[in-house]
Amino acid sequence: MPIAIGGKKLELYNIADWTGIIDRIAAEGESYVEKFPFWVKTWESSIVLADHLLRLGLPKDASILEIGAGMGVVGLFLGASGYHVTITDYEEDALGLLRKNVRHNGLDTVSVERLDWNNPGLTKTYDMICGSELIYKDTFIPPIMALFRKYLQPDGTIFLAHDIRRRCLMQFVGMMPGRFEVENLVKTMKSGDEVHRITIHCLRPKL
């Protein structure tokens, strides 16, 4: 599947029939959200966030961590622009596909790591942490807060993106003003006949 963002074009392997997978899970009823394989879909928010970050002119020596990456669109495109990126997810299937896409596109500055939010094992800190569509239930909030404290450089920056209709991340960002300076930006993306309004949050620690 070819994807072009910010003047870069990558050829990405993806799941051909992810709608079929989701239909089978949905048939199970209330357990749908718990079992939803979020990583199989290329979310519009990840495309918008990748485009936004590529336009910022980040320092080329910036170290970047993408969490809950799924298809890893943000990290892969940042890597294609020469940035040093660690792309992380929890699901082994997602990690296998990410590694395949890194190899296929020759992204030498990108590494792929498994990251358990409740038991994180990374050993360095980063200038930037980014993620899209990260939170869909309240129990994710404490471990993500802990990740920010553990892995963000004191003068680092966090970028989060989500569809404006999803409220969990809005609630999460609403908890941040005491700890972070928060800037919010809404961008629009058209996909076929649909128009998606994507919110990007930029968070910088208060010194």
Side-chain angles (χ1 to χ4, degrees), residues 14 45 63 89 98 110 121 123 134 144 166-167 177 184 186 200:
N14 66 341
S45 58
S63 58
D89 202 279
L98 284 167
V110 176
T123 58
L134 289 180
I144 290 179
R166 287 185 256 284
R167 299 299 179 187
N184 303 314
V186 177
I200 297 174

Side-chain angles (χ1 to χ4, degrees), residues 142-156:
I144 290 179
M145 291 286 290
L147 284 180
F148 291 167
R149 288 193 295 268
K150 186 171 185 177
Y151 294 121
L152 185 68
Q153 293 272 14
D155 58 348

Side-chain angles (χ1 to χ4, degrees), residues 65-69 86-92 95 99 112-123 134 137 139-140 142-148 150-151:
L65 172 66
E66 183 179 9
I67 63 174
T86 301
I87 303 178
T88 65
D89 202 279
Y90 178 77
E91 299 291 341
E92 290 296 340
L95 295 170
R99 293 186 180 109
V112 177
E113 303 285 347
R114 185 175 185 270
L115 181 62
D116 181 345
W117 293 352
N118 292 301
N119 188 26
L122 300 179
T123 58
L134 289 180
K137 55 183 181 180
T139 54
F140 287 173
I144 290 179
M145 291 286 290
L147 284 180
F148 291 167
K150 186 171 185 177
Y151 294 121

Side-chain angles (χ1 to χ4, degrees), residues 97-130:
L97 188 59
L98 284 167
R99 293 186 180 109
K100 187 172 185 177
N101 281 323
V102 167
R103 290 193 301 269
H104 180 66
N105 291 280
L107 304 178
D108 297 334
T109 61
V110 176
S111 62
V112 177
E113 303 285 347
R114 185 175 185 270
L115 181 62
D116 181 345
W117 293 352
N118 292 301
N119 188 26
L122 300 179
T123 58
K124 59 178 289 186
T125 57
Y126 297 85
D127 299 307
M128 188 178 86
I129 298 176
C130 60

Side-chain angles (χ1 to χ4, degrees), residues 5-169:
I5 303 174
K8 300 289 183 181
K9 185 175 182 180
L10 297 178
E11 185 75 28
L12 302 182
Y13 292 101
N14 66 341
I15 305 300
D17 184 26
W18 64 267
T19 55
I21 297 173
I22 291 170
D23 287 344
R24 289 194 295 274
I25 295 172
E28 298 182 18
E30 293 182 1
S31 62
Y32 172 71
V33 172
E34 292 294 329
K35 296 183 178 180
F36 187 97
F38 286 91
W39 67 270
V40 304
K41 183 182 187 304
T42 300
W43 297 94
E44 291 79 11
S45 58
S46 66
I47 295 173
V48 171
L49 180 57
D51 180 73
H52 178 72
L53 294 178
L54 289 172
R55 293 174 184 272
L56 286 182
L58 302 168
K60 283 297 183 181
D61 60 350
S63 58
I64 300 169
L65 172 66
E66 183 179 9
I67 63 174
M71 289 294 294
V73 168
V74 177
L76 292 172
F77 273 90
L78 288 171
S81 294
Y83 294 102
H84 291 271
V85 186
T86 301
I87 303 178
T88 65
D89 202 279
Y90 178 77
E91 299 291 341
E92 290 296 340
D93 288 340
L95 295 170
L97 188 59
L98 284 167
R99 293 186 180 109
K100 187 172 185 177
N101 281 323
V102 167
R103 290 193 301 269
H104 180 66
N105 291 280
L107 304 178
D108 297 334
T109 61
V110 176
S111 62
V112 177
E113 303 285 347
R114 185 175 185 270
L115 181 62
D116 181 345
W117 293 352
N118 292 301
N119 188 26
L122 300 179
T123 58
K124 59 178 289 186
T125 57
Y126 297 85
D127 299 307
M128 188 178 86
I129 298 176
C130 60
S132 52
E133 305 296 352
L134 289 180
I135 298 175
Y136 59 89
K137 55 183 181 180
D138 293 345
T139 54
F140 287 173
I141 292 176
I144 290 179
M145 291 286 290
L147 284 180
F148 291 167
R149 288 193 295 268
K150 186 171 185 177
Y151 294 121
L152 185 68
Q153 293 272 14
D155 58 348
T157 308
I158 300 165
F159 287 93
L160 305 174
H162 64 99
D163 189 292
I164 200 168
R165 294 169 297 181
R166 287 185 256 284
R167 299 299 179 187
C168 282
L169 194 52

